[in-house]
Amino acid sequence: MKLIKLTAISAAVLASTAALAAEPVVVVDDNTAVAYEAEPVAVAYEAEPAYAYNADAGVVRNTTGAVVGGTKTFFQTAINPAAVSAEVGTLGYGANIAWGLNENTELQAGWAGGDVADLFGGDFDANGVNYDVDSDFSNPYLGVQLRPAANWFTMGAGIIVPDNDIDVTANPDGGISGYYEVDDIKYDATGVSLQGKLEHRNKLAPYATIGFRPNISDKWGVFGEIGAAYLGKTNATIDSLDPNQVVSAEDSNGDPVLGLTGADLAASAERELEEEKYLEWLPIVKVGATYRF
């Protein structure tokens, strides 16, 4: 009977709250006192987080976890960019900000623009006619920069939203008293001036680049990129200062072509510019410096 009573009392004590169980328990039966040390009945485990954010590098190491984890990680990522860069190139003078998605991938947002015609020579040829260029570029862009081999080699792709003003002025072959050769007809340039604008049809221009991004210290790095953006077909608007002026002209055999005017010359120049396939592409060449947080 003593054994049954002792067992029942002990079981009741061990089933009590964790706080009471942590204290020694004394059981008294008749003249006998026995002290029992209660063992803890629960073990607490700390769950590992579903994602880890590196505040120093601006990197979300597990993007899926970040999505499940909620908006805090996205907010932290937005206000903790991985790097900022300054650049100069055929898109213009500008800067970008980058956020790390993982160790090999960065999301970039930037802008480049200004008068950059002199950076690529300030002129170009279209079917034998040389044009001086005066430009005012505005090229905001959004893209992804990859390090596929986890080293200095990079690959980039994204979208440019071009808003570029391109003014052109035709230069006569041989100077002011020379000639314009358009559509196999030589027009006497005396007293004739051709000016106009180029516009590209694409409102969104996809681009791709390859490049290098070596680090020169733990914070600073440099980069260079080459590539191209597809701007779409070109709309050319070329005007002659005196569209009604009759222009002396001859064909490829040297025979005179009569009745051509400054307006005819301008229309032929427009067609040739719009047929130039390479004008649909904007070459991308840029260099710059990067500061990493």
Side-chain angles (χ1 to χ4, degrees):
M1 196 62 182
K2 288 182 180 182
L3 179 60
I4 295 174
K5 289 172 64 179
L6 181 59
T7 301
I9 293 172
S10 300
V13 171
L14 292 177
S16 61
T17 63
L20 293 177
E23 298 294 331
V25 177
V26 179
V27 179
V28 179
D29 182 59
D30 293 340
N31 296 322
T32 304
V34 182
Y36 295 89
E37 181 84 22
E39 293 291 329
V41 296
V43 179
Y45 295 92
E46 184 173 352
E48 291 294 327
Y51 58 89
Y53 175 74
N54 186 333
D56 293 330
V59 173
V60 178
R61 300 194 180 279
N62 185 333
T63 305
T64 305
V67 173
V68 176
T71 59
K72 182 178 180 181
T73 298
F74 290 121
F75 178 74
Q76 288 177 328
T77 303
I79 64 174
N80 289 277
V84 293
S85 301
E87 65 182 58
V88 60
T90 53
L91 292 179
Y93 307 88
N96 69 63
I97 217 168
W99 293 268
L101 302 182
N102 56 45
E103 288 83 351
N104 300 331
T105 308
E106 288 182 349
L107 177 66
Q108 288 185 334
W111 178 90
D115 184 1
V116 296
D118 289 340
L119 291 176
F120 53 90
D123 68 316
F124 68 94
D125 293 326
N127 284 336
V129 179
N130 180 262
Y131 292 89
D132 283 334
V133 180
D134 183 20
S135 63
D136 185 11
F137 279 13
S138 178
N139 290 301
Y141 60 88
L142 182 66
V144 175
Q145 195 72 228
L146 303 174
R147 294 178 184 262
N151 59 10
W152 55 265
F153 175 71
T154 63
M155 299 175 63
I159 292 292
I160 299 172
V161 187
D163 183 14
N164 300 326
D165 294 329
I166 305 173
D167 297 326
V168 296
T169 301
N171 296 314
D173 191 356
I176 193 169
S177 59
Y179 62 89
Y180 299 105
E181 185 171 358
V182 180
D183 199 17
D184 294 327
I185 297 178
K186 288 184 176 181
Y187 294 82
D188 187 352
T190 303
V192 179
S193 179
L194 297 178
Q195 296 179 347
K197 290 181 174 292
L198 300 181
E199 293 180 344
H200 292 94
R201 300 178 186 178
N202 283 7
K203 302 305 179 184
L204 296 175
Y207 74 86
T209 62
I210 59 172
F212 64 94
R213 287 180 173 263
N215 294 322
I216 58 178
S217 74
D218 59 341
K219 294 292 186 181
W220 290 95
V222 294
F223 68 89
E225 293 179 40
I226 60 172
Y230 181 68
L231 299 177
K233 291 188 175 295
T234 304
N235 291 329
T237 303
I238 302 298
D239 298 313
S240 173
L241 292 185
D242 188 355
N244 297 319
Q245 176 186 350
V246 177
V247 181
S248 298
E250 60 182 39
D251 62 19
S252 57
N253 297 320
D255 297 326
V257 180
L258 303 177
L260 294 178
T261 65
D264 296 323
L265 171 57
S268 295
E270 280 185 6
R271 286 195 299 272
E272 287 203 338
L273 283 169
E274 292 180 350
E275 289 172 358
E276 286 287 2
K277 296 296 184 183
Y278 77 87
L279 292 178
E280 299 177 10
W281 296 85
L282 176 63
I284 296 176
V285 179
K286 66 168 75 173
V287 293
T290 296
Y291 179 81
R292 295 196 168 277
F293 297 104

